[in-house]
C-alpha cells in the first residue's frame, strides 16, 4: 500500500512537471519583454532586514525626485521614525513640507506637516494627476514593491532600464513606433513608458557621503519602497522564527506522547 | 479523565509517561495563551489613532468670558477664558464644601507647572455617566454655581469645573496640556 | 444519548453530574470523543478532518477580529486593509494568518477529499456523509470567493466581475440575475457590502453543516484504510487518547508548514495585482483566481461556449454529489482495487494539470491540454467508475481489521 502511494505520488509529480515544462516553454516563447536581472536585497530571505541607511537615502531620493509625481499615501511622516530616525530628525526632514487642511473658518489652507499627517500627495486627486501627466496618473507607490511580480528587481529594472533614443536600433524604433519624445525602457511591458528617466548619476547629493550613482539611487529607493510596502516584515520574520521553533518542540512532544499511547497497540 | 483510559502497558515507565503528558499539556497551555495575545492586542488603539491623540489649539480668538469646544480623542474639550469674577469665585470656595477637594490653582496649571488662571481647560464629559454638560455657549444654563450643568441627571459644576451638586462623584477632568506660546496650547 | 458501548459515564464532580443529568453534554463528549470506538488502523490521511476543523475555527477567529477593523466601502476597503497591516496592533499577523489560512484550509480539505476518494469513504452507508462534505466544499468556495473580493484589489474586482458574469450565460433571465447579484450595473459598493455580509455569515453555516457531517460520521463510525467494516471491539481503539494524540501530532506538522508560509512567504500564494487598488476602467492583462479554484477555472475556459463552460464548471462539482452511485465497485478501499488505484492518481494528476492550465492564459498548448483534462475529469467519474466497478476483480479482503494489523506487525 505504502509503495503504491509513493510510486503514484512520483507519477503525479512527473506528469505535473511535464505539464509545467510545456507551459513554461510556451510562456518564454510568447513574451518579448526582458525580465529584469535578479539582484541581492538586504531584506531577502527568512532573516533579511531592511538596510536602514539605504532606506534613509531612499527616502531622500523619494522626497527630492519621485514625490513630485508619485504619492505615498498609505504612509505617515511618523512612520519614518521606524527607519531609526529620532522624532527631531524626522521633524527637521519635514519642516518645509506644507500639507492641505481646513482653516478655523473652514477655508482650505496649507499648514506645516505634522508627524501624524499622511505623506503629502503631489496632486489633489487622480483626475488632476492624470490631467497633468498626459492622461495617465502616476501610480501611488505605497505597496508598489508588492504589487509587481519580483517587485524589487522590477522597480530597480525600470529605474535603470532606459535606453536613450540615439542608442536604439532602427528595428526597435520601427517595431515600437517610437519618436524622439518617447521613453524606451527595457523592462517595461510594451517598452513605451510615460515616465521620463527619473534618476541619473548625481541626481541627489547624499548627506552620508555615499556616491550617488544611478544604480545606487535606484537600489536605495527600492530599499525604501520595500520598507514602505511591508513595514512589519522584520517583526513578522522574528515572530515566525519563534512560532516555528515552538511548533517543532510541540510536534516532538506530541509525537513522543502519541508513540507512548500507541505502544501497546502495535 | 485522560489518564484513566491510557492502558497501563507493562513496558511504559509511568513517571516518564506522566512527565511527557505534563510537559505537553504545559506547552499546549503556553501556546494557547501566546495565540490569544495577538487577538486581544488587536483591539487596542492603532498607531494612527495614537498619533492623533495630541491637538494644538489657537486660543487667541477666545474673548474673556467666552468658551470654545474642541474635539479631542473623540470627546469634547472645554476651553474657557474666565473673567476675573469667575476666577475669584472659584478661588474663594473653601475646600470643606467640595465633594472632590481640589484648589482652583491646581486645575489651571499646565504640564510645565505654569499657572494661567484665565484659561480653564477640561474634558467636557460629566463624571457621572458620560453626558456633555451645558454651559459653554452663551445661552446655556450654567447651574447654581455659574459653571456647567449636566442635563442628564442634574449635576452642577462651579466656575472651576468642580462638582458641587448632583450625582456626579468627581470634578470635570483636566487633561495634560502645555502652552507653547501665550495663545497656542497643545493638549495630550 | 445513552452509551451503547461500555458503561455509561459516572461523574464524580457534583456540579458536572448535576448539569449532565439535565443537559447531557458531558456524557455526549465522553461517548463521542472519548470512548468512541474508532478503527485502529488509520493512517495519517485520517488527520485531515481534525486539521480542517481547526482551520475553520482559526479562520472564523481571525476573520471576526479582522472585521473589527475592516471598512466595506469601495473608497476605504483597500486602505482599511492596509491600515490593518500597518497601524493596527498585531494586525499584519491576523491578516496574514487569515489570508494564508484560506489556502491551507483548502489544502487540508482537498487532502481530506482525496482520502475519501481513494479509500471509498463515500460508499454505503456513508453516502450522506459524503454529500454533506460536498456541501461544505461548495460553501467554502462561495465564502473564499466573496472573501477575496473584500480587500478591493484589482484581482478582487476583476475576479468578481468574471465569476458573477458567469450567470449572464443563463438563457433569458441571466442578465437580470447578474444585476440582482451586483445590486447595480457592475461590481460596486452594493456588491462589496453584500459580499461582506455573506462572507461573515457563511462560515457559521459551514459550522452547522460540519456538525451534521460529524453526526453522520458517528452513526456508522469512520471508514478505514482497509475499507472493511468493524467486526468487534478488537478492531477499534477509543478515540481518546489514541486519535486525539495522533491528530495532535499531525496538526502540529501541518501548522509548521502553514506558519512557514504565513510568516516567511505570505504573498507567495497570492497575486501581486491584488496590491493595486480596484480600478473598474482597467482590466489586468491576465486574470487568475486563487490557486484553489484553478482546476475549475480551467474547466470553465476549456469549453468554447459560454453556457457550456459554466455548466461544465458547475457540473465538475455536481458530479461529486452522485459519486456514491457512480462507483459500482463492491469494495471500498482502492488498496484492493488493482486497476482503479492507478486511476485515482491519474485523476489527481489530471486535476493538477487543469490547475496549471487555469493558471496560464488560454493560448497555445494550454487550450488542448485543458480540453483533454476536462474530458478526462468527466470520463473518470461518468464512464470509468461505473464500468470499472463491474469488470475489475478486487483482491481478497482481510477477514478483519485486527487480523490485518496483527499480520502487518508480525511481517
Amino acid at each position: 500500500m505504502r509503495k503504491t502511494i509513493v510510486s503514484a505520488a512520483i507519477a503525479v509529480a512527473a506528469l505535473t512537471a511535464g505539464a509545467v515544462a510545456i507551459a513554461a516553454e510556451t510562456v518564454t516563447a510568447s513574451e518579448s519583454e526582458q525580465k529584469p536581472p535578479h539582484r541581492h536585497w538586504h531584506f531577502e530571505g527568512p532573516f533579511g532586514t531592511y538596510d536602514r541607511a539605504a532606506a534613509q537615502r531612499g527616502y531622500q531620493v523619494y522626497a527630492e525626485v519621485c514625490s513630485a509625481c508619485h504619492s505615498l499615501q498609505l504612509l505617515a511622516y511618523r512612520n519614518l521614525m521606524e527607519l531609526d530616525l529620532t522624532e527631531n530628525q524626522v521633524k527637521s526632514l519635514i519642516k518645509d513640507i506644507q500639507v492641505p487642511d481646513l482653516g478655523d473658518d473652514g477655508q482650505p489652507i496649507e499648514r506645516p506637516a505634522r508627524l501624524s499627517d499622511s505623506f503629502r500627495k503631489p496632486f489633489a486627486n487622480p483626475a488632476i494627476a492624470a490631467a497633468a501627466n498626459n492622461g495617465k496618473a502616476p501610480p501611488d507607490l505605497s505597496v508598489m514593491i508588492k504589487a509587481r511580480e519580483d517587485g524589487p528587481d522590477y522597480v530597480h529594472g525600470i529605474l535603470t532600464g532606459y535606453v536613450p533614443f540615439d542608442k536604439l536600433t532602427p528595428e526597435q524604433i520601427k517595431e515600437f513606433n517610437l519618436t524622439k519624445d518617447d521613453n524606451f525602457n527595457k523592462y517595461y511591458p510594451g517598452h513605451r513608458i510615460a515616465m521620463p528617466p527619473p534618476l541619473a548619476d548625481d541626481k541627489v547629493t547624499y548627506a552620508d557621503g555615499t556616491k550617488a550613482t544611478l544604480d545606487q539611487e535606484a537600489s536605495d529607493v527600492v530599499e525604501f519602497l520595500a520598507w514602505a510596502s511591508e513595514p512589519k516584515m522584520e517583526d513578522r520574520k522574528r515572530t515566525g522564527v519563534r512560532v516555528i521553533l515552538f511548533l517543532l518542540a510541540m510536534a516532538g512532544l506530541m509525537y513522543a506522547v502519541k508513540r507512548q499511547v500507541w505502544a501497546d497497540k502495535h | 479523565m485522560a489518564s484513566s483510559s491510557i492502558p497501563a502497558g507493562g513496558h511504559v515507565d509511568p513517571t516518564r509517561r506522566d512527565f511527557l503528558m505534563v510537559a505537553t499539556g504545559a506547552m499546549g497551555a503556553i501556546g494557547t495563551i501566546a495565540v490569544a495575545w495577538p487577538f486581544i492586542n488587536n483591539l487596542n488603539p492603532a498607531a494612527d489613532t495614537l498619533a492623533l491623540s495630541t491637538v494644538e489649539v489657537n486660543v487667541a480668538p477666545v474673548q474673556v468670558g467666552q468658551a470654545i469646544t474642541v474635539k479631542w480623542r473623540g470627546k469634547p474639550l472645554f476651553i474657557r477664558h474666565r473673567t476675573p469674577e469667575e476666577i475669584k469665585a472659584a478661588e474663594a470656595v473653601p475646600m470643606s464644601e467640595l465633594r472632590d477637594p481640589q484648589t482652583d490653582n491646581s486645575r489651571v496649571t499646565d504640564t510645565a507647572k505654569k499657572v494661567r488662571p484665565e484659561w480653564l481647560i477640561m474634558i467636557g464629559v460629566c463624571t457621572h455617566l458620560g453626558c456633555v454638560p451645558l454651559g459653554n455657549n452663551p445661552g446655556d444654563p450654567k447651574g447654581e454655581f455659574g459653571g456647567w450643568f449636566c442635563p442628564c441627571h442634574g449635576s452642577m459644576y462651579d466656575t472651576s469645573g468642580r462638582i458641587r451638586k448632583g450625582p456626579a462623584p468627581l470634578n470635570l477632568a483636566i487633561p495634560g496640556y502645555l502652552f507653547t506660546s501665550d495663545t497656542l496650547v497643545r493638549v495630550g | 444519548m445513552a452509551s451503547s458501548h461500555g458503561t455509561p459515564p459516572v461523574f464524580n464532580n457534583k456540579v458536572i453530574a448535576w448539569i449532565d443529568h439535565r443537559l447531557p453534554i458531558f456524557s455526549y463528549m465522553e461517548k463521542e470523543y472519548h470512548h468512541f470506538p474508532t478503527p485502529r488502523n488509520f493512517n495519517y490521511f485520517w488527520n485531515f478532518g481534525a486539521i480542517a476543523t481547526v482551520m475553520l475555527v482559526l479562520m472564523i477567529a481571525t476573520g471576526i477580529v479582522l472585521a473589527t477593523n475592516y471598512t466595506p466601502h469601495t473608497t476605504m476597503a483597500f486602505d482599511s486593509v492596509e491600515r490593518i497591516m500597518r497601524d493596527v496592533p498585531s494586525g499584519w499577523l491576523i491578516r496574514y494568518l487569515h489570508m494564508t489560512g484560506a489556502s491551507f484550509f483548502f489544502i487540508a480539505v482537498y487532502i481530506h477529499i482525496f482520502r475519501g476518494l481513494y479509500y471509498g469513504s463515500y460508499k454505503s452507508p456513508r453516502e450522506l456523509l459524503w454529500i454533506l462534505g460536498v456541501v461544505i466544499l461548495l460553501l467554502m468556495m462561495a465564502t473564499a470567493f466573496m472573501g477575496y473580493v473584500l480587500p478591493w484589489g484589482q484581482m478582487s474586482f476583476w475576479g468578481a466581475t468574471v465569476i458573477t458574469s458567469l450567470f449572464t450565460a443563463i438563457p433569458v433571465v441571466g442578465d437580470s440575475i447578474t444585476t440582482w447579484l451586483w445590486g447595480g450595473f457592475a461590481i460596486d459598493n452594493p456588491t462589496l457590502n453584500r459580499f461582506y455580509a455573506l462572507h461573515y455569515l457563511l462560515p457559521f453555516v459551514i459550522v452547522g453543516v460540519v456538525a451534521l457531517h460529524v453526526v453522520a460520521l458517528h452513526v456508522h463510525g469512520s471508514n478505514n484504510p482497509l475499507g472493511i467494516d468493524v467486526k468487534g471491539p478488537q478492531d477499534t481503539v477509543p478515540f481518546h487518547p489514541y486519535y486525539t494524540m495522533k491528530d495532535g501530532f499531525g496538526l502540529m506538522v501541518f501548522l509548521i508548514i502553514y506558519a512557514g508560509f504565513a510568516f516567511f512567504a505570505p504573498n507567495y500564494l497570492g497575486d501581486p495585482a491584488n496590491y493595486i487598488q480596484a480600478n473598474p476602467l482597467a482590466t489586468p492583462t491576465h486574470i487568475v483566481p486563487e490557486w484553489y479554484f484553478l482546476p475549475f477555472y480551467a474547466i470553465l475556459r476549456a469549453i468554447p461556449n459560454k453556457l457550456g463552460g459554466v455548466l461544465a464548471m458547475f457540473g465538475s462539482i455536481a458530479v461529486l454529489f452522485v459519486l456514491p452511485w457512480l462507483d459500482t465497485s463492491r469494495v471500498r478501499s482502492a488498496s484492493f482495487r488493482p486497476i482503479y488505484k492507478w486511476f485515482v492518481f491519474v485523476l489527481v494528476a489530471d486535476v493538477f494539470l487543469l490547475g496549471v492550465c487555469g493558471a496560464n492564459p488560454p493560448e497555445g498548448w494550454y487550450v488542448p491540454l485543458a480540453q483533454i483534462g476536462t474530458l478526462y475529469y468527466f470520463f473518470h467519474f461518468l464512464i470509468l467508475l461505473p464500468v470499472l466497478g463491474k469488470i475489475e476483480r478486487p483482491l481478497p479482503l482481510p477477514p478483519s481489521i485486527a487480523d490485518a494489523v496483527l499480520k502487518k506487525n508480525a511481517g
Side-chain angles (χ1 to χ4, degrees), chain B residues 1 14 39 53 61 66 74 79 81-82 93 99 111 169 173 182 184:
Chain B
M1 246 170 72
F39 287 83
S53 57
Q66 282 187 342
I79 302 180
H81 199 165
R82 298 193 294 180
V93 180
R99 185 178 301 166
T111 47
D182 275 346
L184 217 54

Side-chain angles (χ1 to χ4, degrees), chain C residues 13-27:
Chain C
N13 184 314
K14 282 216 168 78
V15 178
I16 290 178
W18 188 91
I19 295 172
D20 200 70
H21 187 60
R22 287 151 182 87
L23 181 69
I25 42 174
F26 297 101
S27 306

Side-chain angles (χ1 to χ4, degrees), chain A residues 31-37 154 161 163 172 184-191:
Chain A
E31 265 175 32
S32 67
E33 278 92 38
Q34 244 176 300
K35 236 175 120 58
Y154 174 79
V163 183
Q172 283 173 318
F184 183 90
N185 194 306
K186 277 190 279 184
Y187 305 119
Y188 188 73
H191 297 302

Side-chain angles (χ1 to χ4, degrees), chain C residues 4 40 78 104 107 133 155 185 194 213 224 231 251 256 258 270 282 284 303 313 349 381 385 391 401:
Chain C
S4 53
R40 57 189 290 179
F78 186 87
F104 276 80
I107 289 175
M155 234 16 120
F185 303 105
R194 62 189 61 185
H213 192 68
N224 65 81
K231 302 239 160 57
L251 175 68
I256 289 170
Y258 168 40
I303 313 286
M313 187 182 75
F381 286 106
L385 271 178
I391 58 173
I401 294 172

Side-chain angles (χ1 to χ4, degrees), chain A residues 1 4-5 7-8 12 15-16 19-20 22-24 26-27 46 74-75 78 142-143 146-149 228-232 235-237 239-241 243-244 247-248 250-251 254-255 257-258 261-262 264-266, chain C residues 40 44-45 78-79 82 85-87 92 96 118-119 237 241-246 248-249 252 255-256 259-260 262-267 272-273 275-276 335 341-342 345 348-349 352-353 356 360 365-366 405 409:
Chain A
M1 170 62 225
T4 320
I5 291 200
S7 45
V12 168
L15 274 172
T16 315
V20 173
I22 296 172
T26 26
V27 166
L74 295 175
L75 267 76
R78 64 188 155 83
S142 307
V143 280
K146 288 202 282 187
R148 296 289 182 278
E149 202 79 53
S229 291
E230 185 88 1
K232 302 290 185 216
D235 207 0
R236 163 160 66 76
K237 289 176 178 173
T239 314
V241 170
V243 167
I244 287 184
L247 286 172
L248 281 171
M250 196 69 194
M254 288 297 308
Y255 185 67
V257 169
K258 181 242 152 194
V261 165
W262 280 86
D264 61 327
K265 292 287 175 191
H266 283 309
Chain C
R40 57 189 290 179
Y44 277 104
F45 276 118
F78 186 87
D79 288 0
E82 278 300 322
M85 296 294 293
R86 290 157 190 273
D87 287 338
W92 60 269
Y96 275 153
Y118 189 88
Y119 295 107
V237 291
Y242 290 93
Y243 285 116
T244 44
M245 294 304 132
K246 191 169 179 175
F249 169 61
M252 290 305 136
L255 289 181
I256 289 170
F263 287 101
F264 296 102
N267 295 308
Y275 281 105
I276 305 169
S335 304
K341 93 170 143 201
W342 291 103
F345 289 105
V348 173
F352 271 96
L353 172 74
V356 172
N360 284 286
W365 273 100
Y366 294 116
V405 171
N409 289 345

